[in-house]
Each structure stands twice: as structure tokens, then as C-alpha cells.
Amino acid sequence: MKIAVCIKRVADMGARFQIGADGTSVSDAGIKYDMSDFDEWAVEAALQLNEKHGGGEVTVISLGPDAAQETIRKALAMGADKGVHLKADRIPFDGFAIAEALAAELKDGAYDLILFGRIAVDSAAGVTGAMVAELLGLPCVTAVSKLDVNGAMGTAERQVEGGVETLSFPLPALCTIDQGLVTQARYPSLKGIMAAKKKPLESKPAQLGAISVSVRKMELPPERSAGRIVGEGAAAVPELIRLLQTEAKVL
Amino acid sequence: MSGQNIAFLIVLTAALGLFSYNIQRLVSYLRLGTSENRLDHPERRTWNLITIGFAQTKILRERGAGLSHASVFWGFLVLTAGTAEILLHGVWPAFSYEAILPRPLWQLFMLSQELFAVVVLVAVSWLLWRRLVAPPKRLQGKEVHGLEAVIILCVIASLMLTIYTTGGLEYASDPSVRATQFGWFRPISTGLGALLTSIPGTHVAHDVSYWLHALLVLGFLNFLPYSKHLHVVSSLINVWFSNTSGPGQIGVMRAMDLDAEVEQFGASDVDHLSWKNLLDGYSCTECGRCTAACPANITGKPLSPRKIVVDTRRRLMEKAPLLAGELDVPGSAALFLDAEGGKAALGNVLLDNYITEDELWACTSCRACVTECPVSIDQLDIINELRRGLVLNEGRFPEEVQPTFESLEKNASPWAFSPADRAQWSDGLNIPTYAEAFAEGRRPDILFWVGCMGSFDDRAKKITVAFARILQAANIDFAILGQEETCHGDPARRLGNEYLYQMLAKGTIETLDRYEVKTIVTFCPHCFHQMGNEFPQLGGNYEVVHHSTYIERLMDANLIPLNTEHGQRLTMTYHDSCYLGRYNAVYSAPRETLKRALPVLTFVEPARTESRGLCCGAGGGRMFVDEKVGKRINVERTEELVATGADVIAVACPFCMTMMTDGVAKLEKDVSVLDISEVVAGQLLGSARTA
């Protein structure tokens, strides 16, 4: 099966963020980058599908500056077969502009299945996958927690409030992958890393659509003020209750 | 030449021929392994051969069995001279030592033969009794060839007995030699002969006894290559080629070139191991001292270091003859395979078909097995190579290790703490960083390497502060790297991830060199071992001192202002850390430090201590792997430490600190666990007593 997985390079969420000098982006200082978690699970899902059904090819596509190639290499080290880098100076916030660039790349690829992460962990918009499906006129299932393919049909499960729904759809199709589909994305072995260096990685300019949404300002949440010790033991209880009622207004 | 001589010559030639064929076959199997130079430092290797080999120092670590073995071994050396005479005599009756040696010397030689045969007989009898009547736990287990051992012991006993019967029957059958060849120097043969003089047929009986002895010798010789008793041939050679007691720094993992264009990283099968690993397989006689000392095995985990070595030999004996097309080698495993079976056996690998992943991940890399092995086998080297094979080729490791690897990549620490918080412990302590010192144009004398535990673990941070206070009290010109400190990658290396290790280690070396660091002091034995002993492989050369040694030096120089008032008498015990003790032979510095800081201390040792100390369970990356099977190692160790009656368990490693603290909590004991620097810091003049 020919599968494409669209992946995004994002800042490691464990880092302590600072706003960049322009006030509209995250400062690079001390930040490590990696593949967005949901995208990692999507790569893992694609590899598992092909391992299960035998044969096939997994292509990973990433849009962004040159550094995005590192992220593509990681997916290749995990076991994907080839990579496509859609070069852009920076990743715009506008999901539709990105979707147009991705759709332009995907439309002639004859993919049976196109996978996205449900959301990118940095922007958390969760729209790009669905927009690409619309642009390509493909059936789309979002937030898939279980996925399989049988001949020309796909089946997917989605976790919904209080239950699970099972859907079926014809291929080719586009799915966005949720947490839970795989327990953990595989860790690239050294053998995989070495092999990845020799796998094809094509870089070409991204055909971004017109950007209509942009970030105007970024702010860090206000720092939490230090806690206050009201007193000790039973004697402090009346004062604590009074403060919870009058100041915190939680009682 | 008589008919008997000719018959003997034929038998001798056949026996020696078969033996030399088998030895050549076994040597050719070693070529299956990867090449490795072990001819360096011949003087050190010869010293090992003399001490560990001939003087039997390692086997004598266990008194009873050790002395018995040494008796058989020394007896074997002395009696081999006699055996040579006996065999030559069979072909060439005129030959005897008597003819070429001065008579007193010859008499002494004959006496040595008779007496050593007694020594061997006594030892063998005891060993047989122990095998059959009261076998210790280490001689049990499914990989042990127990029957072989019994056969060998019986053959040795028979060899000794036929020395006496042959001598005695010669005395009885030939009165002409009694006066010259017998007497005080052959007490047992002479005495036995005197008893047999009246019996008829002693002449024939003598020939039978002689032939029996010779055939036993030759039979024994040819049994060796087919049995675990091959160690008789290979172990002295193995001791010479081994690096486990030097030359070179012990405990250092093999250097690895990651840029090499190879199909295989680490090992999955015997042909990925070095010839020396394979020679280890030949040299193992399954005594089980390694397994008896293994903390994983003691607490019910699937690992047995002996099995690792025995499996390596078994797999070699399966694969090598098949590759050589020797399907008809007598006694080889391949003999029992048809073409189909042969193909299937070739498809086997050491990993999975013989040694399971669970065995490999159970290892704490504590080096107890290597330390105990009387013939200097390196079990840990095989385990490390197989772990590398698992991780680097296949990305196979316990799932809980993945966050550790990922955090090492992203945060340069095995735990997911922000690198920005690394030096938070130093807030308000007035401790300069290298960056600050360099900005002022200063070059600090000492780098205090804090380590990831010391930087992020709440309990270990107290050790960090205690040691920093000692350095300040002694007016040492030191600095830390602060946020620029990164993990050197040792946990990744021990867990088989050499790629991640080298990435981190090279980054650390780059930082250290940028700050022109020469001397590093650290309280983490893992950092100490890694940076001091393994960094040179990657071009990082620094003097690295463990804080126990460093504090001892400061005390020697009277630089630490200690409170001299005596205070409360404490009973204290000390838990040896593997990477300090067995890896680096630092045993006395932490003990001396404790005794000098607390002059009224009652110091008690646990049952297993120093080079026999039991691991806390956290080494070899086990800190990051769940302990799901068997008893917890830290509980086993804590029980032993608590049993000493100590009020305080002293440690010199932050990993041991965690494990012992957890152990004490689990046992619900009112015993405190302190790092040696905390004990010393508590005695600093002008500080509140903590110990």
C-alpha cells in the first residue's frame, strides 16, 4: 500500500518558552525540536499497516525551513521509505495555506492512504488534514484511534464521548491519527539511522497558498504568585475558610 | 622394540593425533569471532598468568573448594612430569629420569609424585563427596554438566590409584629393582609392593595396571575437547589473554566506531563476538561462582552469567562445524543434524535462540561475575555486546527505557527536567559557574561535576550541597558548569545505545575542553568511571577524582576544619558502590573518610563487602528499567546492611542512595542513609550536626 504521512517539526513541549524579539514567535534559544507526537504516531501507524499487509511504501512529507529535513530523516530512520521536503522560510500559522501546498504535492502521488497527526502539538489547530482532504476530494476521518485496511476499503474507530464508533470508507482516503492508535512510536535504531542517510529525500519549494491568518501577538501566561501560609494546625482553619469564601470565592 | 612397545606406540600416536586434530578444530572455530589484538602488555599478562593462573589467587577467594582445586591443579603440574616419563617409557623402555638425573634429585622427584598423588586423591574425594552428597547451589542449574564432572573426578582418582598399583606391582613382580628403585622416596608403592610379594601373577597385573594408567591418561586427554573440562587446556591461555584484571583500565566498555560501514552493530550471534569471547566459552568449567555472586540471579531474575558463557560455547559448537561443513565431526552437535536440521540450526542466532532479551536486561553491570571468575572470563563483555546488538540493530529494549533515551536526547538528562533548572540547587550558595569565572578572566582549579542525580533528584541535591559546603570550607577554587552541564551518556551506553552515548559524550567533552578543564571532582561513581576511564576513547582526557578520595586528600592536608568534639557514638556501615569498588578499586577512601570525620564511630561491615559487595540494583541502566521479577535487589541489600545493627548506612553514590533509601522505607526501619559527604559536612566547624 502506498501511504503518505504529513509530519511537522515542532518545539519540544518540555522546554521553557520565551517569546521572540518580534513578539509573534517563540524564541529559538535553548529549544530542541522534534516531530509532533501525533505525527510520530501517524508514521508508526503507517509502518505497522505495511508490516501487517506486507510490502508497500511510506512517504513522509514535511513543510518548513531546511531544519525540517532532520525531522524527515527521523521518520526515515524509523522505517519510512522516502521523504519530501516542501521548503518554506517558516511555517505559517494559516492551516489553509499549508493545506494548499500539501495538496499540490499529494495530488499526483497516487497514495492509497494519507495520514496526518490529529493536531500539531505546537499550534493545536487540527485543521490542516481535513482541509487537504477537502482540496483533494477524499473521504476524511479525523481523530482515528484504530485503523485497518481490507482491499479497497478502510475501517477506522474513533473515541467519542462515552463510546467508540466504527466507520468504513473507500480508499484512497485521508485519516488524522489520535493518541491511542499506537502505544509508542518506535525508537530509531542506529541501523535505521544509517539506512536513513541513504534514503531519497527530495526538497522543493512549497507552493503555499495565500496567507490570510497570521499571529499578531504572543504572550506568556502570567506567572503564578507564591502560595500563602495562613497558619498552622486547627487554629488556622477559620481564617482559611474565611479566605476561601471571600478572596478565592471557591466555597 | 617389543610387541608391547609397538602396540603402545600405535595407541599413543592415535591418541595424540586425535587430540591435536580436535585442538586445531577448536582453534579454527575461534577464527569465526572478530579479530582483536590481545598481545599488548605481555609483562602484565604474564603476571596475571602467574598470580591468577599458577598461584590460583582468584579460585582461592572461596576457601574450601578453592584449596581443593588448587591441590588438584598443583598436583596435576607435578604429576605431568611423571606422566611424560610413563608415556615415553611405554615406547622406549630404556628411558627413565633415573638415568639422567642425579640420584638425590631423582629420589626427590619420585617422592613428589607419591605425595602429590595423595594430595590429589584427598582433594578429589572431597570434591566428589561435595558433588554427590552436598552440592552447593552454584553447582546446580540446567546448564551444568554434572555427570561430566563426576566422570572426570573418578578418572582423576583412578589415575592416582594406578600410579600406586603400577609401582607396587613392579616391586612385587621384580625383586631385582627393589633395592635401587624403591625405598623411603616411594613410601606408598614400596609399602603396597611389600604386601603383594606373596601373590602370584603380579607380573601380568603390573602390565595391566601400567596400560590402564596410560589409557586413562590418553582417554582423559581426548575427553577434554568434548567436555567442559576443556578448561584444563584453555584456561591458562585465557587468563593470559584476558583483560579483566588489566592490562588497561578494567570495566571499560569496548570502543566502537559508529562511522564504520558495517551491517551489524554489537552482537547478535557468535560471529559478531570477538575470538576472546569465544575462548571464554572454552574456558568455562561451569563452577558457577559468577552466578552465585550475581545480584539478579540471587533475587530470582532470569539472568545467570554462567549460562551466558555456556550458551556462547553451545552456539559456537553448533554454528562453527556447520559453517565449516564438518557435519561428521565426532561429538559435535552438528553430528546429530541432517541437512534440514543443519539449515535450521544455521538459522539460529545466539540472541533469542539461546539467550533471551530478559536475561540481558536483568544485568546491573555490577561486575561481581567478572570479579569472581577464577579463569578471568568476561561475562559482562558478552552481555554488553548483545545489548548493543539489540538496541543498535533492532531498536529492541524494555518500553520504559524509551522515555529515558528520549529525555537524554532532548534534555541531556535521563529524566525529563528542564536543562534550565540544572543549577537551581546552587541558588544563594555563592557558587560560580565556569562561564562566570571565564568572564572574570579566572580559570578555576577544580570542576565540581554535579551529575544529573545531583542536579535534579531532591534527595541527591542535599549531597550536592553538602559536598559544595566542604569545598567552600576547605577554600577550594572550584566552579560548576551550571546549565552547561549535560549528561555524558553513560546510562545510554550501559543500556546498549552507543549512538546516543557518543553524541552526549562528545558534547560533554566539547564543553570541558572549551573551559580548559583539567581536574574534575564528582560524587557520582558512574560519572567518575565514565569521564575518567571511558572518555579517553573519545579523546577526552581529564583527571577525574571521586569525592571520597578527594575528601580524604583534603583531610590529609588538614584543609577541612572539622569539629573535634566527640558527640554521640554511632554505629555505621558502608555500602560499596560497584562503579567505585569493583570498577575502580576505591575501597578504603570512603571508609577512612567516615572514620576520620567521626572518631568515635563504631564501624561495622556487612556480610558481603568490598569486592564482594552486593549491588544496590541500579547499575547498568537498571535505574530506568522496571524490576518486575523476583525479590527487589535493593531490599535484599538493605536487609543485609540493616542486619549489621547500624544506625546509619553510609553510601558514596547517588544511585545507591536512592536504592538504599527506598529499601529502608520498604523495611520500615529507623535507619538513616547518608552520603559520606553529608557525614563530613555535618562535622564541619560551625555547622549543625546532621549525623
Side-chain angles (χ1 to χ4, degrees), chain A residues 12 14 16 32 34 40 74 183-187 189-194 198, chain B residues 258 261 263 265 391-393 395 397 399 402 405 409-410 418 421 497 499-500:
Chain A
D12 175 41
R16 191 150 307 154
K32 297 244 176 169
D34 199 359
E40 255 184 34
K74 180 175 177 182
T183 46
Q184 209 166 35
R186 67 194 61 189
Y187 186 82
S189 67
L190 177 58
K191 216 171 176 179
I193 293 167
M194 298 304 230
K198 292 179 186 148
Chain B
L258 295 178
E261 289 284 320
E263 278 297 295
F265 297 100
V391 175
L392 300 178
N393 297 302
F397 45 79
E399 61 176 2
Q402 188 155 338
F405 287 163
E409 279 170 30
K410 287 178 191 161
S418 171
D421 293 342
N497 196 339
Y499 177 72
L500 180 54

Side-chain angles (χ1 to χ4, degrees), chain B residues 38 48-49 52-53 58 235 238-246 276 280 283 369-379:
Chain B
R38 291 281 181 126
N48 288 342
L49 179 67
I52 299 167
K58 285 183 84 180
S235 52
N238 198 55
V239 167
W240 197 86
F241 282 120
S242 177
N243 288 350
T244 59
S245 302
K276 177 59 185 60
D280 278 349
S283 308
C369 53
V370 180
T371 307
E372 289 307 327
C373 181
V375 296
S376 299
I377 288 170
D378 199 340
Q379 301 89 338

Side-chain angles (χ1 to χ4, degrees), chain A residues 189-235:
Chain A
S189 67
L190 177 58
K191 216 171 176 179
I193 293 167
M194 298 304 230
K197 290 181 182 168
K198 292 179 186 148
K199 287 181 179 172
L201 199 172
E202 186 189 356
S203 184
K204 51 181 145 182
Q207 299 172 34
L208 282 168
I211 293 171
S212 45
V213 183
S214 56
V215 180
R216 227 169 93 190
K217 190 177 164 200
M218 273 189 171
E219 277 177 289
L220 291 171
E223 284 210 23
R224 282 169 65 177
S225 50
R228 182 154 38 124
I229 293 169
V230 180
E232 255 182 60

